[in-house]
Amino acid sequence: MYKLGLIGQNISASRAPALHKMLGALNHLPVSYELQVPSDKSAEAFSEKLDEMRKEGFTGTNVTFPYKQIAIERADVVNEAVRKTGASNTLCIKEGKIYAFNTDYTGFIRGYRGRVGDLPAGKVLLIGAGGVGRAIGFALFEVGATELMVTDLNVAGAQSLVDAVNAAGYKARYVPAEEVGEAAKQADGLVNCTPVGHYSTPGMPLAVEHFAGQSWAFDAVYTPMDTEFLIAANQAGLKIVSGFDLFFYQGIDAFELFTGQPVQNIEPVWQQFREQYDVVSDLI
């Protein structure tokens, strides 16, 4: 039995259990997937929950808000994506050791290429520099980004990402809130990695009038699939990469890491999972 889980806060509506159980059934592998909510948002509470899971024989766990950066502190081995981003969303437990991966990083790359092909990401405005923002920020350079412009209400977090990107040999700069409109005009791609647009935090992270002249857009939010951000991008003629793309492909990558088995025939899996999803997208 592959005993899997997800550690996070506010995860009761997560579709991760459904995806991993479906992948297990389609690949003829015995899989369970349980949601795990620590007592609070602290590193100590995360560690307590992870230790419980290890004792209960879990094979691995996904990690979501607010623990993606905390998670690497418990890892014995981290891969290159984790070293770059400073965050992990996937932990494998093998032979007493914890291995950290970042499938937000790899999943975004697969989702981007699946939607826009070989189109270089170019100059990108990234809104939101948290755990997923860091992963996407670095992944963008794997799909042809030339410069990353980062804005976040948490100025220190945004500057930390900018510094890390520049230290890795790429090009990035911080964009203060009052300059976001001008940065959007300069951008080839627009990326939302904030919670704004989610069912629980509706709204727009970028004013509608700033969607004009770019080539593509990505929204990490996937509930709903058709966010106001993606609708505005679509109406402005931009190519779309959705949060559902990221969710699906990071899940595929995590499942393969957990089980050691490649997922075959991904397109039918995509279609079947979409049919089970409670909202049918007009955009993807």
Side-chain angles (χ1 to χ4, degrees), residues 144-208:
T146 56
E147 180 180 358
L148 190 65
M149 301 177 288
V150 183
T151 189
D152 195 301
L153 295 177
N154 180 342
V155 176
Q159 190 61 57
S160 173
L161 175 56
V162 167
D163 292 344
V165 168
N166 286 327
Y170 304 119
K171 183 179 181 181
R173 66 180 176 90
Y174 168 67
V175 177
E178 63 272 17
E179 297 177 15
V180 166
E182 182 59 33
K185 292 179 184 178
Q186 300 171 17
D188 299 297
L190 302 174
V191 172
N192 175 40
C193 285
T194 76
V196 178
H198 187 273
Y199 283 128
S200 61
T201 51
M204 279 282 282
L206 183 68
V208 173

Coordinates of all heavy atoms in Angstrom, one line a residue, residues 144-208:
G144 N 12.2 29.8 -21.0 CA 12.6 31.0 -21.8 C 12.4 32.3 -21.3 O 12.4 33.3 -22.0
A145 N 12.2 32.5 -20.0 CA 12.1 33.8 -19.4 C 13.5 34.5 -19.5 O 14.5 33.9 -19.4 CB 11.7 33.7 -17.9
T146 N 13.4 35.8 -19.8 CA 14.6 36.6 -19.9 C 14.8 37.6 -18.7 O 15.9 38.0 -18.4 CB 14.5 37.5 -21.2 OG1 13.4 38.3 -21.2 CG2 14.6 36.6 -22.4
E147 N 13.7 37.9 -18.1 CA 13.7 38.8 -16.9 C 12.4 38.5 -16.1 O 11.4 38.4 -16.6 CB 13.8 40.3 -17.2 CG 13.9 41.2 -16.0 CD 14.0 42.7 -16.4 OE1 14.0 43.0 -17.6 OE2 14.0 43.5 -15.5
L148 N 12.6 38.5 -14.7 CA 11.5 38.4 -13.8 C 11.3 39.7 -13.0 O 12.2 40.1 -12.4 CB 11.8 37.2 -12.8 CG 10.6 36.7 -12.0 CD1 9.5 36.1 -12.8 CD2 11.1 35.7 -10.9
M149 N 10.1 40.2 -13.2 CA 9.7 41.4 -12.4 C 8.8 41.0 -11.3 O 7.7 40.4 -11.6 CB 9.0 42.4 -13.3 CG 9.9 42.9 -14.5 SD 9.0 44.1 -15.6 CE 7.9 43.0 -16.4
V150 N 9.2 41.2 -10.0 CA 8.4 40.6 -8.9 C 7.8 41.7 -8.0 O 8.4 42.6 -7.6 CB 9.4 39.8 -8.0 CG1 8.6 39.1 -6.9 CG2 10.2 38.7 -8.8
T151 N 6.5 41.4 -7.8 CA 5.8 42.3 -6.8 C 5.0 41.5 -5.8 O 4.6 40.4 -6.1 CB 4.8 43.3 -7.6 OG1 4.3 44.3 -6.7 CG2 3.7 42.5 -8.2
D152 N 5.0 42.0 -4.6 CA 4.2 41.3 -3.5 C 4.0 42.4 -2.4 O 4.8 43.3 -2.2 CB 5.1 40.2 -3.0 CG 4.3 39.2 -2.1 OD1 3.7 39.7 -1.1 OD2 4.2 38.0 -2.5
L153 N 2.9 42.2 -1.7 CA 2.6 43.1 -0.6 C 3.7 42.9 0.5 O 4.0 43.8 1.3 CB 1.2 42.8 0.0 CG 0.0 43.2 -1.0 CD1 -1.3 42.8 -0.3 CD2 0.1 44.6 -1.3
N154 N 4.2 41.7 0.6 CA 5.3 41.4 1.5 C 6.6 41.8 0.7 O 7.2 41.0 0.0 CB 5.3 40.0 1.8 CG 6.5 39.6 2.8 OD1 7.5 40.3 2.9 ND2 6.4 38.4 3.4
V155 N 7.1 43.0 0.9 CA 8.2 43.5 0.2 C 9.5 42.7 0.5 O 10.2 42.4 -0.4 CB 8.5 45.0 0.6 CG1 9.8 45.5 -0.1 CG2 7.3 45.9 0.2
A156 N 9.7 42.3 1.7 CA 10.8 41.5 2.1 C 10.8 40.2 1.4 O 11.9 39.7 0.9 CB 10.9 41.3 3.6
G157 N 9.6 39.5 1.2 CA 9.5 38.3 0.5 C 9.9 38.4 -0.9 O 10.5 37.6 -1.5
A158 N 9.3 39.5 -1.5 CA 9.6 39.8 -3.0 C 11.1 40.0 -3.2 O 11.7 39.5 -4.1 CB 8.8 41.0 -3.4
Q159 N 11.7 40.8 -2.3 CA 13.1 41.1 -2.5 C 14.0 39.9 -2.3 O 15.0 39.7 -3.0 CB 13.6 42.2 -1.5 CG 15.0 42.7 -1.8 CD 15.1 43.4 -3.2 OE1 14.3 44.3 -3.5 NE2 16.0 42.9 -4.0
S160 N 13.5 39.0 -1.4 CA 14.3 37.7 -1.2 C 14.3 36.9 -2.4 O 15.3 36.3 -2.8 CB 13.6 36.9 0.0 OG 14.2 35.7 0.1
L161 N 13.1 36.8 -3.1 CA 13.1 36.0 -4.3 C 13.9 36.7 -5.4 O 14.7 36.0 -6.1 CB 11.6 35.9 -4.8 CG 11.4 35.2 -6.2 CD1 12.1 33.9 -6.2 CD2 9.9 35.2 -6.5
V162 N 13.9 38.0 -5.5 CA 14.7 38.7 -6.5 C 16.2 38.4 -6.3 O 16.9 38.1 -7.2 CB 14.4 40.2 -6.4 CG1 15.5 41.0 -7.2 CG2 13.0 40.5 -7.0
D163 N 16.6 38.5 -5.0 CA 18.0 38.3 -4.7 C 18.4 36.8 -5.0 O 19.5 36.6 -5.6 CB 18.2 38.5 -3.2 CG 18.1 40.0 -2.8 OD1 18.1 40.8 -3.7 OD2 17.9 40.3 -1.6
A164 N 17.5 35.9 -4.7 CA 17.8 34.5 -5.0 C 17.9 34.2 -6.5 O 18.8 33.5 -7.0 CB 16.8 33.6 -4.4
V165 N 17.0 34.8 -7.3 CA 17.1 34.6 -8.7 C 18.3 35.2 -9.3 O 19.0 34.6 -10.2 CB 15.8 35.3 -9.4 CG1 16.0 35.4 -10.9 CG2 14.6 34.5 -9.0
N166 N 18.7 36.4 -8.9 CA 19.9 37.1 -9.4 C 21.2 36.3 -9.0 O 22.1 36.2 -9.8 CB 20.0 38.5 -8.9 CG 19.0 39.4 -9.6 OD1 18.7 39.3 -10.8 ND2 18.5 40.4 -8.9
A167 N 21.1 35.8 -7.8 CA 22.3 35.0 -7.3 C 22.5 33.7 -8.1 O 23.6 33.2 -8.2 CB 22.1 34.6 -5.8
A168 N 21.4 33.2 -8.6 CA 21.4 32.0 -9.4 C 21.9 32.3 -10.9 O 22.0 31.3 -11.7 CB 20.1 31.3 -9.5
G169 N 22.1 33.5 -11.2 CA 22.6 33.9 -12.5 C 21.6 34.3 -13.5 O 21.9 34.5 -14.7
Y170 N 20.3 34.5 -13.0 CA 19.3 35.0 -13.9 C 19.1 36.5 -13.6 O 19.8 37.1 -12.8 CB 18.0 34.2 -13.6 CG 18.1 32.7 -13.7 CD1 17.9 31.9 -12.7 CD2 18.4 32.1 -15.0 CE1 17.9 30.5 -12.8 CE2 18.5 30.8 -15.1 CZ 18.3 30.0 -14.0 OH 18.4 28.6 -14.1
K171 N 18.0 37.1 -14.2 CA 17.8 38.5 -14.1 C 16.4 38.7 -13.5 O 15.4 38.2 -14.0 CB 17.9 39.2 -15.5 CG 17.7 40.7 -15.4 CD 17.8 41.3 -16.8 CE 17.7 42.8 -16.8 NZ 17.8 43.4 -18.2
A172 N 16.4 39.5 -12.4 CA 15.2 39.8 -11.7 C 15.3 41.2 -11.0 O 16.3 41.7 -10.7 CB 14.9 38.8 -10.7
R173 N 14.1 41.8 -10.9 CA 14.0 43.1 -10.1 C 12.7 43.2 -9.4 O 11.7 42.6 -9.8 CB 14.2 44.3 -11.0 CG 13.1 44.5 -12.1 CD 13.4 45.7 -12.9 NE 12.5 45.9 -14.0 CZ 11.4 46.7 -13.9 NH1 11.1 47.3 -12.7 NH2 10.5 46.9 -14.9
Y174 N 12.7 43.9 -8.3 CA 11.5 44.2 -7.5 C 10.7 45.3 -8.1 O 11.3 46.3 -8.6 CB 11.9 44.5 -6.1 CG 10.7 45.1 -5.3 CD1 9.6 44.2 -4.9 CD2 10.7 46.4 -4.8 CE1 8.6 44.7 -4.2 CE2 9.6 46.9 -4.1 CZ 8.6 46.1 -3.8 OH 7.5 46.6 -3.1
V175 N 9.4 45.1 -8.1 CA 8.5 46.2 -8.6 C 7.6 46.6 -7.5 O 6.7 45.8 -7.0 CB 7.6 45.6 -9.8 CG1 6.6 46.7 -10.3 CG2 8.5 45.2 -11.0
P176 N 7.7 47.9 -7.1 CA 6.7 48.4 -6.0 C 5.3 48.5 -6.6 O 5.1 48.6 -7.8 CB 7.3 49.7 -5.7 CG 8.1 50.2 -6.8 CD 8.7 48.9 -7.5
A177 N 4.3 48.5 -5.7 CA 2.9 48.5 -6.1 C 2.6 49.6 -7.0 O 1.8 49.3 -8.0 CB 2.1 48.5 -4.8
E178 N 3.1 50.7 -6.8 CA 2.7 51.9 -7.7 C 3.3 51.8 -9.1 O 2.9 52.5 -10.0 CB 3.2 53.2 -7.0 CG 4.7 53.4 -6.9 CD 5.2 52.8 -5.5 OE1 4.5 52.0 -4.9 OE2 6.3 53.2 -5.1
E179 N 4.2 50.8 -9.4 CA 4.8 50.7 -10.7 C 4.3 49.4 -11.4 O 4.8 49.1 -12.5 CB 6.3 50.7 -10.6 CG 6.9 52.0 -10.0 CD 8.4 51.9 -9.9 OE1 9.0 51.0 -10.4 OE2 9.0 52.8 -9.2
V180 N 3.3 48.7 -10.8 CA 2.9 47.4 -11.4 C 2.3 47.6 -12.8 O 2.5 46.8 -13.7 CB 1.9 46.7 -10.4 CG1 1.2 45.6 -11.2 CG2 2.6 46.2 -9.2
G181 N 1.5 48.7 -13.0 CA 0.9 48.9 -14.3 C 1.9 49.1 -15.4 O 1.7 48.5 -16.4
E182 N 2.9 49.9 -15.1 CA 4.0 50.1 -16.1 C 4.7 48.8 -16.4 O 5.1 48.5 -17.5 CB 4.9 51.2 -15.6 CG 6.0 51.5 -16.6 CD 5.5 52.0 -17.9 OE1 4.4 52.7 -17.9 OE2 6.2 51.7 -18.9
A183 N 5.0 48.0 -15.3 CA 5.7 46.7 -15.5 C 4.9 45.8 -16.3 O 5.4 45.1 -17.2 CB 6.0 46.1 -14.1
A184 N 3.5 45.8 -16.1 CA 2.7 44.9 -16.9 C 2.7 45.3 -18.4 O 2.7 44.4 -19.3 CB 1.2 45.0 -16.4
K185 N 2.8 46.5 -18.7 CA 3.0 47.0 -20.1 C 4.2 46.5 -20.8 O 4.3 46.2 -22.0 CB 2.9 48.5 -20.2 CG 1.6 49.1 -19.8 CD 1.7 50.6 -19.9 CE 0.4 51.3 -19.5 NZ 0.5 52.8 -19.5
Q186 N 5.3 46.3 -20.0 CA 6.6 45.8 -20.5 C 6.7 44.3 -20.6 O 7.6 43.8 -21.2 CB 7.7 46.3 -19.6 CG 7.8 47.8 -19.4 CD 8.8 48.2 -18.3 OE1 9.6 47.4 -17.9 NE2 8.7 49.4 -17.8
A187 N 5.7 43.6 -20.0 CA 5.8 42.2 -19.9 C 5.3 41.4 -21.1 O 4.4 41.9 -21.8 CB 5.0 41.7 -18.6
D188 N 5.9 40.3 -21.3 CA 5.4 39.3 -22.3 C 4.4 38.3 -21.6 O 3.5 37.8 -22.3 CB 6.5 38.5 -22.9 CG 7.5 39.4 -23.6 OD1 7.1 40.0 -24.6 OD2 8.7 39.4 -23.2
G189 N 4.6 38.1 -20.3 CA 3.8 37.2 -19.6 C 3.4 37.8 -18.3 O 4.1 38.5 -17.6
L190 N 2.1 37.4 -17.8 CA 1.6 37.9 -16.5 C 1.3 36.6 -15.7 O 0.7 35.7 -16.1 CB 0.3 38.6 -16.7 CG 0.4 39.9 -17.6 CD1 -1.0 40.5 -17.8 CD2 1.3 40.9 -17.0
V191 N 1.8 36.6 -14.4 CA 1.6 35.5 -13.6 C 1.1 35.9 -12.2 O 1.6 36.8 -11.6 CB 3.0 34.8 -13.4 CG1 2.9 33.7 -12.3 CG2 3.5 34.2 -14.7
N192 N 0.0 35.2 -11.8 CA -0.6 35.4 -10.5 C -0.2 34.2 -9.6 O -0.7 33.1 -9.8 CB -2.1 35.6 -10.5 CG -2.7 35.7 -9.1 OD1 -2.1 36.3 -8.3 ND2 -3.8 35.1 -8.9
C193 N 0.5 34.5 -8.6 CA 0.8 33.4 -7.6 C 0.4 33.9 -6.2 O 0.9 33.5 -5.2 CB 2.3 33.1 -7.6 SG 2.8 32.1 -9.0
T194 N -0.7 34.7 -6.1 CA -1.3 35.1 -4.9 C -2.6 34.3 -4.8 O -3.1 33.7 -5.7 CB -1.7 36.6 -4.9 OG1 -2.8 36.8 -5.7 CG2 -0.5 37.4 -5.4
P195 N -3.3 34.3 -3.6 CA -4.6 33.6 -3.4 C -5.8 34.4 -4.0 O -6.9 33.9 -4.0 CB -4.8 33.5 -1.9 CG -3.5 33.8 -1.3 CD -2.8 34.7 -2.3
V196 N -5.5 35.6 -4.5 CA -6.6 36.5 -5.0 C -7.2 35.9 -6.2 O -6.5 35.6 -7.2 CB -6.0 37.9 -5.3 CG1 -7.2 38.8 -5.8 CG2 -5.5 38.5 -4.0
G197 N -8.5 35.7 -6.2 CA -9.2 35.0 -7.3 C -9.8 33.7 -6.8 O -10.6 33.1 -7.5
H198 N -9.3 33.2 -5.7 CA -9.9 31.9 -5.1 C -11.3 32.2 -4.7 O -11.7 33.3 -4.4 CB -9.0 31.5 -4.0 CG -9.3 30.1 -3.4 ND1 -10.3 30.0 -2.5 CD2 -8.9 28.9 -3.7 CE1 -10.4 28.7 -2.2 NE2 -9.5 28.0 -2.9
Y199 N -12.1 31.1 -4.6 CA -13.5 31.3 -4.1 C -13.5 32.0 -2.7 O -14.4 32.8 -2.5 CB -14.1 29.9 -3.9 CG -14.5 29.2 -5.1 CD1 -14.1 27.9 -5.4 CD2 -15.4 29.8 -6.0 CE1 -14.6 27.2 -6.6 CE2 -15.8 29.2 -7.2 CZ -15.4 27.9 -7.4 OH -15.8 27.3 -8.6
S200 N -12.5 31.7 -1.9 CA -12.5 32.3 -0.5 C -12.0 33.7 -0.5 O -12.2 34.5 0.5 CB -11.7 31.4 0.4 OG -10.4 31.3 0.0
T201 N -11.2 34.1 -1.5 CA -10.6 35.5 -1.6 C -10.8 36.0 -3.0 O -9.8 36.2 -3.8 CB -9.1 35.4 -1.3 OG1 -8.5 34.4 -2.1 CG2 -8.9 35.1 0.2
P202 N -12.0 36.3 -3.4 CA -12.3 36.7 -4.8 C -11.7 38.1 -5.1 O -11.4 38.8 -4.2 CB -13.8 36.8 -4.9 CG -14.3 37.0 -3.4 CD -13.3 36.2 -2.6
G203 N -11.6 38.3 -6.4 CA -11.0 39.6 -6.8 C -10.0 39.5 -7.9 O -9.8 38.4 -8.5
M204 N -9.3 40.5 -8.2 CA -8.3 40.6 -9.2 C -7.0 41.1 -8.7 O -6.9 42.1 -8.0 CB -8.7 41.6 -10.3 CG -9.7 41.0 -11.3 SD -8.9 39.9 -12.5 CE -8.2 41.2 -13.6
P205 N -5.9 40.4 -8.9 CA -4.6 40.8 -8.4 C -4.0 41.9 -9.3 O -2.9 42.5 -9.0 CB -3.7 39.5 -8.5 CG -4.3 38.7 -9.6 CD -5.8 39.0 -9.5
L206 N -4.6 42.1 -10.5 CA -4.1 43.1 -11.4 C -5.3 43.7 -12.1 O -6.2 43.0 -12.6 CB -3.2 42.4 -12.5 CG -2.5 43.3 -13.5 CD1 -1.5 44.2 -12.9 CD2 -1.9 42.4 -14.6
A207 N -5.3 45.0 -12.2 CA -6.4 45.7 -12.9 C -6.6 45.3 -14.3 O -5.6 45.1 -15.0 CB -6.2 47.2 -12.8
V208 N -7.8 45.2 -14.7 CA -8.2 44.7 -16.1 C -7.5 45.6 -17.2 O -7.1 45.0 -18.2 CB -9.7 44.8 -16.3 CG1 -10.1 44.4 -17.7 CG2 -10.4 43.8 -15.4

